[in-house]
Amino acid sequence: AESIVGRTNVEVTEPFWLLDNFDADSRGRFNGGTTAATYDGTNDVLTFATHATCPFPQKLGTDWEQEYLVKFNTIGTDDYCRFTVPVFLQSPTYSAVYPTHDTLIGISIYAATKDDTGTTGSFLRIYKSGVIQKTVTNLYEFGKYYKFKVTYDGSTFNIYSVESDADWSGTYSATPTLTYVDSTYTSGYCGVGGYALSGGKSWIKGIKINGTRVYNKPIHRGAMLETY
């Protein structure tokens, strides 16, 4: 006979790695992905025609690196093409709002091109719970691929960006494009999302996550095994 006196959960941190180039329809790995995102199997990309925040359900600890491969592909009627994703939200719940909306608690990034020639008016921003924390301007050109790398070490977010292609080419500068110091959060969720204002659409061609994941592992307490 086996008697279980009780069970408890112990928080465990372990290495975690993911690469998804969307060469198959994997929207289902993101909460709300099949609801909000469109999978383009010809170009192997995700797009959003509506505001959406679709977190990856695995909780990340501190000391991680995320990368996104993006093409600013369709210009909106306001001359902007936008890309925005959650990088350290405090909830894994799907939300029908863009990742920088003030109802979402945590950190998100937002980049955009302006007009269809040159970098003038383009920008990269980091948000905390819907509030702009820092902006860098005149970086990106419409119609091109860029890759974005976001790192966090428990105290500082560094964002690197560089022109790329559909195969992750390009070498990041040793100097971050944007740096933001904030140690508020010790765990959180990244993911994909859309800011579908005025019809503009970016292609999300790939995502990489490299760091630590945090989860609760059930442990049996006072377990006894008796044989008769």
Side-chain angles (χ1 to χ4, degrees):
E2 185 180 32
S3 173
I4 304 297
V5 174
R7 187 172 69 177
T8 187
N9 289 327
V10 176
E11 188 172 88
V12 176
T13 300
E14 66 180 18
F16 177 76
W17 185 83
L18 170 74
L19 168 63
D20 193 338
N21 285 318
F22 301 121
D23 46 9
D25 185 357
S26 56
R27 290 174 297 167
R29 74 180 350 147
F30 302 97
N31 291 339
T34 55
T35 298
T38 298
Y39 176 65
D40 177 347
T42 301
N43 297 293
D44 294 337
V45 298
L46 297 187
T47 63
F48 287 86
T50 184
H51 297 331
T53 299
C54 301
F56 184 63
Q58 182 60 66
K59 182 186 283 188
L60 301 180
T62 54
D63 194 16
W64 47 253
E65 177 178 297
Q66 303 166 26
E67 287 191 78
Y68 298 86
L69 181 59
V70 178
K71 183 182 181 185
F72 293 104
N73 191 69
T74 306
I75 200 165
T77 55
D78 61 357
D79 295 328
Y80 283 96
C81 181
R82 296 170 169 86
F83 160 68
T84 179
V85 289
V87 295
F88 217 40
L89 290 189
Q90 295 305 287
S91 169
T93 304
Y94 161 69
S95 299
V97 297
Y98 45 86
T100 57
H101 196 273
D102 61 9
T103 59
L104 302 180
I105 305 303
I107 306 296
S108 297
I109 65 169
Y110 171 24
T113 59
K114 177 72 163 62
D115 300 320
D116 56 3
T117 57
T119 63
T120 301
S122 66
F123 59 80
L124 172 67
R125 295 173 180 165
I126 189 165
Y127 283 71
K128 181 179 181 180
S129 305
V131 179
I132 299 173
Q133 302 300 313
K134 202 165 185 180
T135 300
V136 182
T137 59
N138 303 334
L139 299 168
Y140 312 116
E141 290 187 54
F142 174 73
K144 293 185 176 182
Y145 277 97
Y146 292 88
K147 60 181 183 179
F148 296 82
K149 179 170 70 174
V150 188
T151 67
Y152 183 60
D153 62 4
S155 63
T156 304
F157 293 88
N158 285 315
I159 307 174
Y160 304 80
S161 59
V162 66
E163 188 176 337
S164 188
D165 59 18
D167 295 312
W168 294 94
S169 73
T171 301
Y172 295 110
S173 169
T175 303
T177 309
L178 185 155
T179 296
Y180 169 58
V181 176
D182 193 313
S183 58
T184 303
Y185 309 116
T186 58
S187 62
Y189 301 87
C190 64
V192 294
Y195 191 169
L197 191 65
S198 303
K201 288 183 186 178
S202 56
W203 283 359
I204 302 177
K205 184 70 179 69
I207 180 175
K208 298 179 184 179
I209 308 169
N210 186 10
T212 56
R213 68 173 185 145
V214 180
Y215 67 99
N216 290 321
K217 183 178 181 179
I219 300 293
H220 294 289
R221 293 184 302 181
M224 294 184 299
L225 185 64
E226 299 175 355
T227 303
Y228 296 94

